[in-house]
Amino acid sequence: MGLTSRSLLYAMVAVAVVCVGLTLWLWPRFAGRGPRALLGRLGSIVGTQLAVVAALGLAVNGNFQFYSSWHELLGLYDDAPAAVGKWGDGGTAGPAGDPSKGLVQTAGPDGLEKVHGLPKGPPEQAGRVESVRIVGRRTRAVDPAYVYLPPQYFQPQFARQRFPVIVALSGYPGGSFLLGQHLRLPQTAARLIRAGRMQPTVIVMMRPTIAPPRDTQCVDVPGGPQAETFFARDVPQALVSHYRVGHDPGGWGVMGYSSGGSCALQLAMRHDRTYSAAAALSPDYKVSSDPTTGNLFGDGRGRVRRRQEHDLMWRLRHLPAPQVNVLVGTSRTGEKNYPAAKAFLAAVRPPMKADAVVLDHGSHNFATWRRELPAALLWMDKQLTFPEDVVGNS
């Protein structure tokens, strides 16, 4: 049974119920003071606790899709080890893709069937959300994605029209499922487009790590996963090759929440010729190594410089400002990064521009990010230009 299958969840719940019932029934028999009675009490408590925790863990994972398979949970892949591996020289880090089969490949539902409130009906009226796999031509990395295509994408009068695109990144260790089910990104965008408040836009929902369960933080790791190259070069190339999206950076934006928001800022500020705008909800402003990331910056003389260049405050102080527009979402109370957000916004200088969505109160959770999302989408809509080129023009 699959890790996220309902049958596994129901079976584990049944096991937990049976364990609780057996504990209640057998407990009087373990009332003595001998070793057998002691071991019986200990075994019943441990067995019941493990069954209940396993059932709760499966329920939470099924709801939030932190891990979509047993292989991903255990860090195992058929082709290669998933965590820290040498990039090149016969080794990989994460599942390796085959670009010759297409840079955007049709995938199974990958949880899409569990997302509530997705557009229903003919695509030319309601739009459509697709489940795909994006394969990097340079990195050979693979990342699952949901792609929201607005109704206009399927309408005859737009048949040759290219569309602006937003690459949306989840936090870690979540994935595209969370962007659909809990952030409700495609549902919110569809509502705004239907109301005429937002231009038709293709939205690509992805997770920020390309080598799960390792948190790659959108960094090109020396000798490891090339996550920055994947999102800054491979993903745009793949999307342009498969969908009718614009070529010019003026039609490209990136957004995310939590670590996905951190990635959005990093990508836009480091690659302003790819992304012209970034919206970050509850981001961090520098990348640091921790047990989930491993060594992100390598060793040797270049380590310090690589770490500094992924510190956005250091970049604002020491490097020319990029020509991008950014939006930061934060809360005065409830978010520990509010002082860092104020310092970042104060450090921005032309030609870079920055705006903010500041709530009076909001914690680091989906309830807060859903409140910020409509404003972030409308802000992003004002930054992106509708592509003038059409299909058939390079």
Side-chain angles (χ1 to χ4, degrees):
M1 288 183 286
L3 180 62
T4 60
S5 67
R6 291 187 179 275
S7 55
L8 177 61
L9 174 60
Y10 294 154
M12 200 65 242
V13 169
V15 169
V17 171
V18 170
C19 286
V20 171
L22 286 174
T23 298
L24 293 174
W25 183 48
L26 296 174
W27 195 259
R29 301 186 184 186
F30 302 143
R33 296 186 177 180
R36 292 183 61 185
L38 180 62
L39 290 174
R41 291 196 296 270
L42 182 61
S44 63
I45 291 172
V46 171
T48 301
Q49 292 289 330
L50 288 176
V52 171
V53 169
L56 290 174
L58 288 171
V60 170
N61 186 66
N63 190 39
F64 287 94
Q65 295 282 307
F66 294 123
Y67 300 99
S68 61
S69 68
W70 291 106
H71 274 194
E72 189 171 318
L73 175 66
L74 299 174
L76 302 174
Y77 290 90
D78 294 334
D79 297 327
V84 182
K86 288 294 183 183
W87 202 270
D89 298 327
T92 61
D98 184 358
S100 67
K101 297 180 180 179
L103 302 181
V104 177
Q105 303 172 6
T106 301
D110 198 24
L112 186 60
E113 76 283 3
K114 300 178 183 178
V115 177
H116 301 295
L118 292 179
K120 294 183 179 180
E124 65 273 13
Q125 298 177 13
R128 185 170 72 199
V129 180
E130 301 179 341
S131 177
V132 301
R133 298 165 73 243
I134 295 180
V135 181
R137 184 179 295 279
R138 297 168 185 82
T139 63
R140 299 181 68 87
V142 182
D143 209 21
Y146 295 163
V147 180
Y148 167 73
L149 302 171
Q152 291 80 359
Y153 193 91
F154 303 96
Q155 295 171 2
Q157 62 268 37
F158 292 93
R160 298 185 63 231
Q161 179 63 57
R162 297 186 182 275
F163 292 82
V165 59
I166 299 172
V167 175
L169 302 175
S170 70
Y172 174 85
S176 48
F177 175 83
L178 299 186
L179 290 160
Q181 175 70 359
H182 296 286
L183 188 61
R184 303 187 65 76
L185 175 54
Q187 300 91 323
T188 304
R191 186 179 71 249
L192 294 173
I193 293 172
R194 188 168 55 249
R197 302 179 63 194
M198 180 177 174
Q199 63 189 342
T201 303
V202 173
I203 300 178
V204 183
M205 294 158 273
M206 307 179 71
R207 63 187 181 190
T209 177
I210 63 170
R214 186 179 186 182
D215 183 7
T216 47
Q217 287 281 329
C218 296
V219 170
D220 279 351
V221 181
Q226 304 295 285
E228 183 175 3
T229 296
F230 179 75
F231 286 107
R233 303 185 67 187
D234 282 345
V235 169
Q237 181 184 26
L239 296 175
V240 167
S241 74
H242 191 81
Y243 294 105
R244 299 197 318 273
V245 294
H247 296 81
D248 189 87
W252 281 75
V254 58
M255 69 183 302
Y257 65 85
S258 191
S259 59
S262 306
C263 280
L265 290 179
Q266 292 276 342
L267 289 168
M269 291 181 63
R270 292 171 60 85
H271 299 276
D272 55 347
R273 294 187 178 181
T274 300
Y275 299 105
S276 62
L281 311 181
S282 304
D284 290 322
Y285 300 94
K286 66 178 180 179
V287 175
S288 302
S289 296
D290 61 36
T292 67
T293 66
N295 184 355
L296 290 174
F297 305 110
D299 300 309
R301 296 175 59 183
R303 172 183 172 83
V304 172
R305 179 70 176 189
R306 286 191 291 270
R307 185 175 63 248
Q308 288 175 333
E309 290 185 352
H310 283 280
D311 181 334
L312 299 185
M313 293 299 293
W314 184 91
R315 294 185 70 88
L316 290 173
R317 288 193 297 264
H318 295 92
L319 299 178
Q323 191 166 349
V324 295
N325 299 333
V326 300
L327 175 75
V328 171
T330 187
S331 305
R332 291 186 178 87
T333 58
E335 277 279 17
K336 64 180 181 180
N337 71 347
Y338 179 62
K342 288 202 305 180
F344 174 80
L345 292 167
V348 170
R349 64 186 188 279
M352 183 176 173
K353 298 179 181 179
D355 295 297
V357 175
V358 182
L359 303 179
D360 289 333
H361 179 82
S363 300
H364 197 81
N365 56 39
F366 284 105
T368 297
W369 301 324
R370 282 195 299 269
R371 292 169 61 195
E372 297 169 338
L373 180 62
L377 285 173
L378 293 174
W379 175 89
M380 182 71 77
D381 183 64
K382 294 179 181 178
Q383 314 309 312
L384 303 184
T385 56
F386 207 84
E388 295 183 0
D389 57 324
V390 297
V391 175
N393 291 354
S394 59

